[in-house]
Every structure is written in C-alpha cells, then in structure tokens.
Amino acid sequence: MISTIDTPHQVHIDWLLKNGVTTSAMVNPSAMLLAQGERAPDGRFEPEENGMFWFVFEELDDEVFWHPRSNRLATLDGRAFALGQDAIWNASTYSFDGHLNIFSDPLDWLRAKRDGCVVLDWTRAFDRLAGAPRVSVDEKVLFLYRRHMHPPQLPELYVLQTNGRAAA
C-alpha cells in the first residue's frame, strides 16, 4: 500500500451517495480508500502529494485506482485483470442461475453493489473469463467482449491427407 492513501472525504462520500452508490457498496467487501496521484503512461498509479483524488479498491494481488471525473483506471502493480475480479471465480456468483455481471465502469459496478466486475485489461479476457458459465455484459462493452473472447492465437493448421487409404 502506498503512503498517500486515506479514507474518502465527506465531499467524495456525498458525491457517491448522490450518484446512487450505497454506503454498503462503499465498504463491502473492503472499504474504498482515497489516494492522490496520476496515471502513468504504462497504466500504473503514481502517487503525488498534491495530485488528483482517486478512489482505491484492494484486489487480491493489486490495487485498482479510479478517477471518477475522467473515468480513468490505473493499477499499482499492473497485475489486476479486473476491478472486482474475485467474482469471476466465486461459485456464489453463478449459484441459482446467477451470472457474472461485466460493467463498463466503476460507478455502475458500485451502483450494483459490486455484483460483478469491470475489466481493466481486455487482452486477458479470454483466459480469465472462458471458464465462467454465464455472463451478463453491459452493452457499452459488448463489442470489446466479443472482440476478445476467443483464443489470442490458434496453432497453424495443416490437414493430413489419407490418399484414399482406409485407416487401420
């Protein structure tokens, strides 16, 4: 965790509430935090003492930063695939014919009480989402979902000719 992380200020909490985010979604499964900094060209978060405010979400192997005004996302270490990625592998996501909800942005994800995820890196989508039995995709990211939900590379294919002989 970086040293510039703090709890959200009242003005940030009020903004979230005004935009339909419940207090439960702000703290469960872990409390949202606040950091000041900037997004580097490589997508990583760089803390700056007088930088812009970003909401911080803890993921299992990384931290995800969201700047609501610009709707930009960043990560601390570049390891997180999605915001809320634990839902992908959680069996309760799919129980009772449930679906993995894939949202286009963190605000919609928070409004839905973090029920699903927001994909950060679509190049890893096939590998990470192929095992999900059912998904519901926000129409704003449907094009990205369809574009990336195939193996990144298939082997080069050759056809063996049998030359009319029966296989033994």
PDB file of all heavy atoms in Angstrom, residues 87-116:
ATOM      1  N   ALA A  87     -15.172 -12.010  -8.146  1.00  0.00           N
ATOM      2  CA  ALA A  87     -16.486 -12.518  -8.565  1.00  0.00           C
ATOM      3  C   ALA A  87     -16.367 -13.530  -9.695  1.00  0.00           C
ATOM      4  O   ALA A  87     -17.230 -14.398  -9.850  1.00  0.00           O
ATOM      5  CB  ALA A  87     -17.380 -11.353  -9.008  1.00  0.00           C
ATOM      6  N   ILE A  88     -15.307 -13.461 -10.478  1.00  0.00           N
ATOM      7  CA  ILE A  88     -15.131 -14.363 -11.622  1.00  0.00           C
ATOM      8  C   ILE A  88     -15.009 -15.804 -11.153  1.00  0.00           C
ATOM      9  O   ILE A  88     -15.573 -16.715 -11.757  1.00  0.00           O
ATOM     10  CB  ILE A  88     -13.899 -13.959 -12.455  1.00  0.00           C
ATOM     11  CG1 ILE A  88     -14.069 -12.550 -13.013  1.00  0.00           C
ATOM     12  CG2 ILE A  88     -13.642 -14.966 -13.574  1.00  0.00           C
ATOM     13  CD1 ILE A  88     -12.793 -11.944 -13.579  1.00  0.00           C
ATOM     14  N   TRP A  89     -14.291 -16.039 -10.065  1.00  0.00           N
ATOM     15  CA  TRP A  89     -14.027 -17.395  -9.590  1.00  0.00           C
ATOM     16  C   TRP A  89     -14.887 -17.797  -8.409  1.00  0.00           C
ATOM     17  O   TRP A  89     -14.786 -18.913  -7.926  1.00  0.00           O
ATOM     18  CB  TRP A  89     -12.552 -17.531  -9.225  1.00  0.00           C
ATOM     19  CG  TRP A  89     -11.677 -17.193 -10.387  1.00  0.00           C
ATOM     20  CD1 TRP A  89     -11.442 -17.985 -11.480  1.00  0.00           C
ATOM     21  CD2 TRP A  89     -10.973 -15.991 -10.612  1.00  0.00           C
ATOM     22  NE1 TRP A  89     -10.619 -17.335 -12.360  1.00  0.00           N
ATOM     23  CE2 TRP A  89     -10.310 -16.095 -11.850  1.00  0.00           C
ATOM     24  CE3 TRP A  89     -10.833 -14.810  -9.890  1.00  0.00           C
ATOM     25  CZ2 TRP A  89      -9.530 -15.094 -12.378  1.00  0.00           C
ATOM     26  CZ3 TRP A  89     -10.049 -13.801 -10.417  1.00  0.00           C
ATOM     27  CH2 TRP A  89      -9.405 -13.951 -11.639  1.00  0.00           C
ATOM     28  N   ASN A  90     -15.736 -16.909  -7.934  1.00  0.00           N
ATOM     29  CA  ASN A  90     -16.565 -17.192  -6.774  1.00  0.00           C
ATOM     30  C   ASN A  90     -17.785 -18.002  -7.197  1.00  0.00           C
ATOM     31  O   ASN A  90     -18.588 -17.546  -8.012  1.00  0.00           O
ATOM     32  CB  ASN A  90     -16.986 -15.871  -6.116  1.00  0.00           C
ATOM     33  CG  ASN A  90     -17.665 -16.084  -4.795  1.00  0.00           C
ATOM     34  OD1 ASN A  90     -18.253 -17.129  -4.526  1.00  0.00           O
ATOM     35  ND2 ASN A  90     -17.592 -15.066  -3.955  1.00  0.00           N
ATOM     36  N   ALA A  91     -17.937 -19.193  -6.636  1.00  0.00           N
ATOM     37  CA  ALA A  91     -19.052 -20.078  -7.013  1.00  0.00           C
ATOM     38  C   ALA A  91     -20.408 -19.435  -6.752  1.00  0.00           C
ATOM     39  O   ALA A  91     -21.368 -19.680  -7.492  1.00  0.00           O
ATOM     40  CB  ALA A  91     -18.943 -21.399  -6.263  1.00  0.00           C
ATOM     41  N   SER A  92     -20.517 -18.591  -5.734  1.00  0.00           N
ATOM     42  CA  SER A  92     -21.813 -17.966  -5.435  1.00  0.00           C
ATOM     43  C   SER A  92     -22.257 -17.005  -6.543  1.00  0.00           C
ATOM     44  O   SER A  92     -23.443 -16.715  -6.663  1.00  0.00           O
ATOM     45  CB  SER A  92     -21.760 -17.248  -4.086  1.00  0.00           C
ATOM     46  OG  SER A  92     -20.888 -16.143  -4.141  1.00  0.00           O
ATOM     47  N   THR A  93     -21.328 -16.532  -7.359  1.00  0.00           N
ATOM     48  CA  THR A  93     -21.680 -15.665  -8.487  1.00  0.00           C
ATOM     49  C   THR A  93     -22.645 -16.377  -9.426  1.00  0.00           C
ATOM     50  O   THR A  93     -23.557 -15.767  -9.975  1.00  0.00           O
ATOM     51  CB  THR A  93     -20.414 -15.255  -9.272  1.00  0.00           C
ATOM     52  OG1 THR A  93     -19.554 -14.524  -8.404  1.00  0.00           O
ATOM     53  CG2 THR A  93     -20.749 -14.400 -10.488  1.00  0.00           C
ATOM     54  N   TYR A  94     -22.465 -17.673  -9.597  1.00  0.00           N
ATOM     55  CA  TYR A  94     -23.229 -18.446 -10.575  1.00  0.00           C
ATOM     56  C   TYR A  94     -24.328 -19.300  -9.947  1.00  0.00           C
ATOM     57  O   TYR A  94     -25.069 -19.959 -10.665  1.00  0.00           O
ATOM     58  CB  TYR A  94     -22.272 -19.334 -11.376  1.00  0.00           C
ATOM     59  CG  TYR A  94     -21.085 -18.550 -11.894  1.00  0.00           C
ATOM     60  CD1 TYR A  94     -19.845 -18.631 -11.284  1.00  0.00           C
ATOM     61  CD2 TYR A  94     -21.228 -17.692 -12.977  1.00  0.00           C
ATOM     62  CE1 TYR A  94     -18.772 -17.889 -11.743  1.00  0.00           C
ATOM     63  CE2 TYR A  94     -20.157 -16.945 -13.433  1.00  0.00           C
ATOM     64  CZ  TYR A  94     -18.926 -17.051 -12.807  1.00  0.00           C
ATOM     65  OH  TYR A  94     -17.863 -16.305 -13.261  1.00  0.00           O
ATOM     66  N   SER A  95     -24.450 -19.287  -8.617  1.00  0.00           N
ATOM     67  CA  SER A  95     -25.469 -20.113  -7.968  1.00  0.00           C
ATOM     68  C   SER A  95     -26.863 -19.582  -8.300  1.00  0.00           C
ATOM     69  O   SER A  95     -27.044 -18.394  -8.588  1.00  0.00           O
ATOM     70  CB  SER A  95     -25.245 -20.151  -6.458  1.00  0.00           C
ATOM     71  OG  SER A  95     -25.374 -18.875  -5.897  1.00  0.00           O
ATOM     72  N   PHE A  96     -27.824 -20.483  -8.275  1.00  0.00           N
ATOM     73  CA  PHE A  96     -29.215 -20.159  -8.594  1.00  0.00           C
ATOM     74  C   PHE A  96     -29.329 -19.489  -9.959  1.00  0.00           C
ATOM     75  O   PHE A  96     -30.038 -18.501 -10.129  1.00  0.00           O
ATOM     76  CB  PHE A  96     -29.850 -19.287  -7.502  1.00  0.00           C
ATOM     77  CG  PHE A  96     -29.795 -19.908  -6.143  1.00  0.00           C
ATOM     78  CD1 PHE A  96     -28.914 -19.427  -5.181  1.00  0.00           C
ATOM     79  CD2 PHE A  96     -30.593 -20.989  -5.827  1.00  0.00           C
ATOM     80  CE1 PHE A  96     -28.843 -20.006  -3.920  1.00  0.00           C
ATOM     81  CE2 PHE A  96     -30.527 -21.578  -4.566  1.00  0.00           C
ATOM     82  CZ  PHE A  96     -29.657 -21.087  -3.612  1.00  0.00           C
ATOM     83  N   ASP A  97     -28.593 -20.019 -10.950  1.00  0.00           N
ATOM     84  CA  ASP A  97     -28.571 -19.499 -12.320  1.00  0.00           C
ATOM     85  C   ASP A  97     -28.061 -18.063 -12.409  1.00  0.00           C
ATOM     86  O   ASP A  97     -28.429 -17.322 -13.319  1.00  0.00           O
ATOM     87  CB  ASP A  97     -29.959 -19.606 -12.982  1.00  0.00           C
ATOM     88  CG  ASP A  97     -30.357 -21.038 -13.242  1.00  0.00           C
ATOM     89  OD1 ASP A  97     -29.443 -21.852 -13.508  1.00  0.00           O
ATOM     90  OD2 ASP A  97     -31.555 -21.356 -13.184  1.00  0.00           O
ATOM     91  N   GLY A  98     -27.211 -17.663 -11.463  1.00  0.00           N
ATOM     92  CA  GLY A  98     -26.640 -16.323 -11.476  1.00  0.00           C
ATOM     93  C   GLY A  98     -25.636 -16.146 -12.607  1.00  0.00           C
ATOM     94  O   GLY A  98     -25.152 -17.105 -13.194  1.00  0.00           O
ATOM     95  N   HIS A  99     -25.329 -14.902 -12.913  1.00  0.00           N
ATOM     96  CA  HIS A  99     -24.412 -14.535 -13.994  1.00  0.00           C
ATOM     97  C   HIS A  99     -23.288 -13.685 -13.423  1.00  0.00           C
ATOM     98  O   HIS A  99     -23.481 -12.975 -12.445  1.00  0.00           O
ATOM     99  CB  HIS A  99     -25.119 -13.678 -15.049  1.00  0.00           C
ATOM    100  CG  HIS A  99     -26.237 -14.358 -15.734  1.00  0.00           C
ATOM    101  ND1 HIS A  99     -26.598 -14.055 -17.015  1.00  0.00           N
ATOM    102  CD2 HIS A  99     -27.106 -15.322 -15.350  1.00  0.00           C
ATOM    103  CE1 HIS A  99     -27.619 -14.793 -17.380  1.00  0.00           C
ATOM    104  NE2 HIS A  99     -27.947 -15.570 -16.372  1.00  0.00           N
ATOM    105  N   LEU A 100     -22.163 -13.718 -14.083  1.00  0.00           N
ATOM    106  CA  LEU A 100     -21.101 -12.760 -13.807  1.00  0.00           C
ATOM    107  C   LEU A 100     -21.461 -11.492 -14.565  1.00  0.00           C
ATOM    108  O   LEU A 100     -21.571 -11.500 -15.789  1.00  0.00           O
ATOM    109  CB  LEU A 100     -19.747 -13.281 -14.288  1.00  0.00           C
ATOM    110  CG  LEU A 100     -18.606 -12.259 -14.246  1.00  0.00           C
ATOM    111  CD1 LEU A 100     -18.280 -11.866 -12.810  1.00  0.00           C
ATOM    112  CD2 LEU A 100     -17.382 -12.796 -14.955  1.00  0.00           C
ATOM    113  N   ASN A 101     -21.697 -10.421 -13.851  1.00  0.00           N
ATOM    114  CA  ASN A 101     -22.027  -9.137 -14.486  1.00  0.00           C
ATOM    115  C   ASN A 101     -20.741  -8.402 -14.818  1.00  0.00           C
ATOM    116  O   ASN A 101     -19.897  -8.201 -13.945  1.00  0.00           O
ATOM    117  CB  ASN A 101     -22.880  -8.282 -13.548  1.00  0.00           C
ATOM    118  CG  ASN A 101     -24.204  -8.947 -13.231  1.00  0.00           C
ATOM    119  OD1 ASN A 101     -24.869  -9.471 -14.115  1.00  0.00           O
ATOM    120  ND2 ASN A 101     -24.573  -8.949 -11.969  1.00  0.00           N
ATOM    121  N   ILE A 102     -20.604  -8.001 -16.077  1.00  0.00           N
ATOM    122  CA  ILE A 102     -19.437  -7.245 -16.513  1.00  0.00           C
ATOM    123  C   ILE A 102     -19.895  -5.831 -16.824  1.00  0.00           C
ATOM    124  O   ILE A 102     -20.674  -5.608 -17.745  1.00  0.00           O
ATOM    125  CB  ILE A 102     -18.763  -7.897 -17.735  1.00  0.00           C
ATOM    126  CG1 ILE A 102     -18.332  -9.326 -17.391  1.00  0.00           C
ATOM    127  CG2 ILE A 102     -17.570  -7.058 -18.196  1.00  0.00           C
ATOM    128  CD1 ILE A 102     -17.773 -10.107 -18.556  1.00  0.00           C
ATOM    129  N   PHE A 103     -19.423  -4.884 -16.033  1.00  0.00           N
ATOM    130  CA  PHE A 103     -19.824  -3.490 -16.155  1.00  0.00           C
ATOM    131  C   PHE A 103     -18.804  -2.705 -16.969  1.00  0.00           C
ATOM    132  O   PHE A 103     -17.636  -3.067 -17.048  1.00  0.00           O
ATOM    133  CB  PHE A 103     -19.977  -2.862 -14.765  1.00  0.00           C
ATOM    134  CG  PHE A 103     -21.094  -3.475 -13.965  1.00  0.00           C
ATOM    135  CD1 PHE A 103     -20.835  -4.489 -13.054  1.00  0.00           C
ATOM    136  CD2 PHE A 103     -22.398  -3.060 -14.147  1.00  0.00           C
ATOM    137  CE1 PHE A 103     -21.858  -5.077 -12.335  1.00  0.00           C
ATOM    138  CE2 PHE A 103     -23.435  -3.634 -13.424  1.00  0.00           C
ATOM    139  CZ  PHE A 103     -23.161  -4.650 -12.521  1.00  0.00           C
ATOM    140  N   SER A 104     -19.253  -1.603 -17.536  1.00  0.00           N
ATOM    141  CA  SER A 104     -18.366  -0.767 -18.347  1.00  0.00           C
ATOM    142  C   SER A 104     -17.543   0.203 -17.512  1.00  0.00           C
ATOM    143  O   SER A 104     -16.498   0.651 -17.946  1.00  0.00           O
ATOM    144  CB  SER A 104     -19.165   0.001 -19.396  1.00  0.00           C
ATOM    145  OG  SER A 104     -20.055   0.906 -18.763  1.00  0.00           O
ATOM    146  N   ASP A 105     -18.024   0.530 -16.308  1.00  0.00           N
ATOM    147  CA  ASP A 105     -17.284   1.492 -15.488  1.00  0.00           C
ATOM    148  C   ASP A 105     -17.541   1.242 -14.006  1.00  0.00           C
ATOM    149  O   ASP A 105     -18.526   0.617 -13.630  1.00  0.00           O
ATOM    150  CB  ASP A 105     -17.632   2.930 -15.878  1.00  0.00           C
ATOM    151  CG  ASP A 105     -19.084   3.267 -15.631  1.00  0.00           C
ATOM    152  OD1 ASP A 105     -19.486   3.393 -14.461  1.00  0.00           O
ATOM    153  OD2 ASP A 105     -19.828   3.399 -16.615  1.00  0.00           O
ATOM    154  N   PRO A 106     -16.658   1.746 -13.157  1.00  0.00           N
ATOM    155  CA  PRO A 106     -16.781   1.510 -11.722  1.00  0.00           C
ATOM    156  C   PRO A 106     -18.042   2.092 -11.086  1.00  0.00           C
ATOM    157  O   PRO A 106     -18.552   1.515 -10.119  1.00  0.00           O
ATOM    158  CB  PRO A 106     -15.527   2.187 -11.143  1.00  0.00           C
ATOM    159  CG  PRO A 106     -14.542   2.146 -12.255  1.00  0.00           C
ATOM    160  CD  PRO A 106     -15.361   2.352 -13.498  1.00  0.00           C
ATOM    161  N   LEU A 107     -18.560   3.193 -11.592  1.00  0.00           N
ATOM    162  CA  LEU A 107     -19.760   3.770 -10.988  1.00  0.00           C
ATOM    163  C   LEU A 107     -20.949   2.815 -11.130  1.00  0.00           C
ATOM    164  O   LEU A 107     -21.679   2.577 -10.161  1.00  0.00           O
ATOM    165  CB  LEU A 107     -20.080   5.140 -11.587  1.00  0.00           C
ATOM    166  CG  LEU A 107     -21.243   5.891 -10.933  1.00  0.00           C
ATOM    167  CD1 LEU A 107     -21.006   6.081  -9.433  1.00  0.00           C
ATOM    168  CD2 LEU A 107     -21.449   7.233 -11.617  1.00  0.00           C
ATOM    169  N   ASP A 108     -21.148   2.235 -12.314  1.00  0.00           N
ATOM    170  CA  ASP A 108     -22.234   1.265 -12.490  1.00  0.00           C
ATOM    171  C   ASP A 108     -22.005   0.033 -11.621  1.00  0.00           C
ATOM    172  O   ASP A 108     -22.945  -0.529 -11.063  1.00  0.00           O
ATOM    173  CB  ASP A 108     -22.365   0.862 -13.962  1.00  0.00           C
ATOM    174  CG  ASP A 108     -22.997   1.945 -14.814  1.00  0.00           C
ATOM    175  OD1 ASP A 108     -23.642   2.853 -14.249  1.00  0.00           O
ATOM    176  OD2 ASP A 108     -22.836   1.888 -16.042  1.00  0.00           O
ATOM    177  N   TRP A 109     -20.760  -0.402 -11.502  1.00  0.00           N
ATOM    178  CA  TRP A 109     -20.406  -1.539 -10.656  1.00  0.00           C
ATOM    179  C   TRP A 109     -20.738  -1.247  -9.192  1.00  0.00           C
ATOM    180  O   TRP A 109     -21.301  -2.090  -8.501  1.00  0.00           O
ATOM    181  CB  TRP A 109     -18.911  -1.828 -10.852  1.00  0.00           C
ATOM    182  CG  TRP A 109     -18.304  -2.872  -9.998  1.00  0.00           C
ATOM    183  CD1 TRP A 109     -18.503  -4.220 -10.067  1.00  0.00           C
ATOM    184  CD2 TRP A 109     -17.337  -2.668  -8.962  1.00  0.00           C
ATOM    185  NE1 TRP A 109     -17.720  -4.862  -9.136  1.00  0.00           N
ATOM    186  CE2 TRP A 109     -17.001  -3.924  -8.450  1.00  0.00           C
ATOM    187  CE3 TRP A 109     -16.720  -1.537  -8.436  1.00  0.00           C
ATOM    188  CZ2 TRP A 109     -16.069  -4.093  -7.421  1.00  0.00           C
ATOM    189  CZ3 TRP A 109     -15.801  -1.695  -7.420  1.00  0.00           C
ATOM    190  CH2 TRP A 109     -15.489  -2.961  -6.921  1.00  0.00           C
ATOM    191  N   LEU A 110     -20.412  -0.046  -8.728  1.00  0.00           N
ATOM    192  CA  LEU A 110     -20.737   0.334  -7.358  1.00  0.00           C
ATOM    193  C   LEU A 110     -22.247   0.453  -7.149  1.00  0.00           C
ATOM    194  O   LEU A 110     -22.769   0.041  -6.118  1.00  0.00           O
ATOM    195  CB  LEU A 110     -20.046   1.656  -6.995  1.00  0.00           C
ATOM    196  CG  LEU A 110     -18.546   1.569  -6.762  1.00  0.00           C
ATOM    197  CD1 LEU A 110     -17.922   2.959  -6.744  1.00  0.00           C
ATOM    198  CD2 LEU A 110     -18.252   0.818  -5.463  1.00  0.00           C
ATOM    199  N   ARG A 111     -22.950   1.009  -8.129  1.00  0.00           N
ATOM    200  CA  ARG A 111     -24.417   1.102  -8.026  1.00  0.00           C
ATOM    201  C   ARG A 111     -25.049  -0.277  -7.900  1.00  0.00           C
ATOM    202  O   ARG A 111     -26.093  -0.436  -7.289  1.00  0.00           O
ATOM    203  CB  ARG A 111     -24.984   1.811  -9.251  1.00  0.00           C
ATOM    204  CG  ARG A 111     -24.752   3.291  -9.276  1.00  0.00           C
ATOM    205  CD  ARG A 111     -25.343   3.879 -10.540  1.00  0.00           C
ATOM    206  NE  ARG A 111     -25.094   5.288 -10.650  1.00  0.00           N
ATOM    207  CZ  ARG A 111     -24.748   5.901 -11.782  1.00  0.00           C
ATOM    208  NH1 ARG A 111     -24.644   5.226 -12.910  1.00  0.00           N
ATOM    209  NH2 ARG A 111     -24.537   7.198 -11.795  1.00  0.00           N
ATOM    210  N   ALA A 112     -24.418  -1.271  -8.500  1.00  0.00           N
ATOM    211  CA  ALA A 112     -24.905  -2.656  -8.435  1.00  0.00           C
ATOM    212  C   ALA A 112     -24.337  -3.380  -7.215  1.00  0.00           C
ATOM    213  O   ALA A 112     -24.349  -4.614  -7.157  1.00  0.00           O
ATOM    214  CB  ALA A 112     -24.538  -3.394  -9.712  1.00  0.00           C
ATOM    215  N   LYS A 113     -23.842  -2.631  -6.255  1.00  0.00           N
ATOM    216  CA  LYS A 113     -23.293  -3.169  -5.006  1.00  0.00           C
ATOM    217  C   LYS A 113     -22.137  -4.142  -5.241  1.00  0.00           C
ATOM    218  O   LYS A 113     -22.018  -5.160  -4.577  1.00  0.00           O
ATOM    219  CB  LYS A 113     -24.393  -3.804  -4.174  1.00  0.00           C
ATOM    220  CG  LYS A 113     -25.468  -2.817  -3.781  1.00  0.00           C
ATOM    221  CD  LYS A 113     -26.533  -3.480  -2.933  1.00  0.00           C
ATOM    222  CE  LYS A 113     -27.508  -2.433  -2.459  1.00  0.00           C
ATOM    223  NZ  LYS A 113     -28.717  -2.359  -3.206  1.00  0.00           N
ATOM    224  N   ARG A 114     -21.305  -3.813  -6.239  1.00  0.00           N
ATOM    225  CA  ARG A 114     -20.101  -4.587  -6.571  1.00  0.00           C
ATOM    226  C   ARG A 114     -20.430  -6.017  -7.012  1.00  0.00           C
ATOM    227  O   ARG A 114     -19.647  -6.934  -6.828  1.00  0.00           O
ATOM    228  CB  ARG A 114     -19.117  -4.623  -5.402  1.00  0.00           C
ATOM    229  CG  ARG A 114     -18.618  -3.259  -4.964  1.00  0.00           C
ATOM    230  CD  ARG A 114     -17.506  -3.430  -3.969  1.00  0.00           C
ATOM    231  NE  ARG A 114     -17.137  -2.174  -3.349  1.00  0.00           N
ATOM    232  CZ  ARG A 114     -16.040  -1.999  -2.634  1.00  0.00           C
ATOM    233  NH1 ARG A 114     -15.201  -2.987  -2.436  1.00  0.00           N
ATOM    234  NH2 ARG A 114     -15.770  -0.833  -2.090  1.00  0.00           N
ATOM    235  N   ASP A 115     -21.590  -6.197  -7.586  1.00  0.00           N
ATOM    236  CA  ASP A 115     -22.021  -7.521  -8.036  1.00  0.00           C
ATOM    237  C   ASP A 115     -21.518  -7.770  -9.451  1.00  0.00           C
ATOM    238  O   ASP A 115     -22.240  -7.587 -10.429  1.00  0.00           O
ATOM    239  CB  ASP A 115     -23.552  -7.625  -7.992  1.00  0.00           C
ATOM    240  CG  ASP A 115     -24.053  -8.984  -8.434  1.00  0.00           C
ATOM    241  OD1 ASP A 115     -23.275  -9.957  -8.393  1.00  0.00           O
ATOM    242  OD2 ASP A 115     -25.231  -9.078  -8.821  1.00  0.00           O
ATOM    243  N   GLY A 116     -20.255  -8.162  -9.571  1.00  0.00           N
ATOM    244  CA  GLY A 116     -19.647  -8.391 -10.872  1.00  0.00           C
ATOM    245  C   GLY A 116     -18.272  -7.785 -10.927  1.00  0.00           C
ATOM    246  O   GLY A 116     -17.581  -7.680  -9.909  1.00  0.00           O
TER     247      GLY A 116
END
